[in-house]
Amino acid sequence: MLRYNNYNIVFQEIPNEVTLAINISNCPNRCKGCHSPYLWEDSGNLLNKESLMELLNKYGSSITCVCFMGGDISPYEVEELSVFIRKEYNLKTGWYSGKNKLPQNLSISNFNYIKLGAYISELGGLDSPTTNQRMYKIENGEMKDITKWYHK
Ligand code: SF4
């Protein structure tokens, strides 16, 4: 079961998209120097098709993308919600995972963007030139590394 603490409309998290970024709680990753330790607890509102529909009825016409910020506790639920959004709302989707690898049976084709990589404070996030994290655009079933787009 996924829960989210809050959400924002953002412009930087996914290049060239107006994104509804949903901050998912119960993060299992425990990165040293975590920038959002409030997301470690299993707290907040349920994130499911019904709650997404409520959010998208409010914001769906102002955005081009929905991004799941976290959700490593239940990646296949994230994937299922991504499929739902793309099919029912014709919006793009992204997923910020804190893992270094994708779960074995997840299909990348169910997302438009996927970020991989633990947060290492000394190396910085995606906007840092030394980051270990990678952002991929999914095109024709392949992952194209677009991390450099964050360093312009
Ligand atoms: S993945 Fe993000 S929220 Fe989770 S521990 Fe790492 S930095 Fe914190």
Side-chain angles (χ1 to χ4, degrees), residues 27 29-31 34-36 39-40 98 119:
C27 177
N29 294 325
R30 304 293 187 267
C31 305
C34 170
H35 48 70
S36 307
L39 293 175
W40 290 14
Y119 177 69

Side-chain angles (χ1 to χ4, degrees), residues 29-96:
N29 294 325
R30 304 293 187 267
C31 305
K32 195 171 152 236
C34 170
H35 48 70
S36 307
Y38 73 99
L39 293 175
W40 290 14
E41 278 183 36
D42 186 9
S43 59
N45 300 317
L46 277 181
L47 182 62
N48 53 26
K49 287 179 186 170
E50 289 71 32
S51 58
L52 268 177
M53 281 162 66
E54 276 181 36
L55 286 175
L56 292 174
N57 287 343
K58 263 194 220 169
Y59 302 107
S61 58
S62 339
I63 60 172
T64 60
C65 184
V66 175
C67 191
F68 300 97
M69 312 300 285
D72 289 314
I73 196 74
S74 188
Y76 300 110
E77 264 188 275
V78 174
E79 183 180 25
E80 190 185 336
L81 293 176
S82 177
V83 168
F84 170 71
I85 291 168
R86 284 162 43 125
K87 180 163 177 255
E88 299 298 328
Y89 290 87
N90 198 26
L91 290 166
K92 293 176 191 163
T93 60
W95 180 33
Y96 268 55

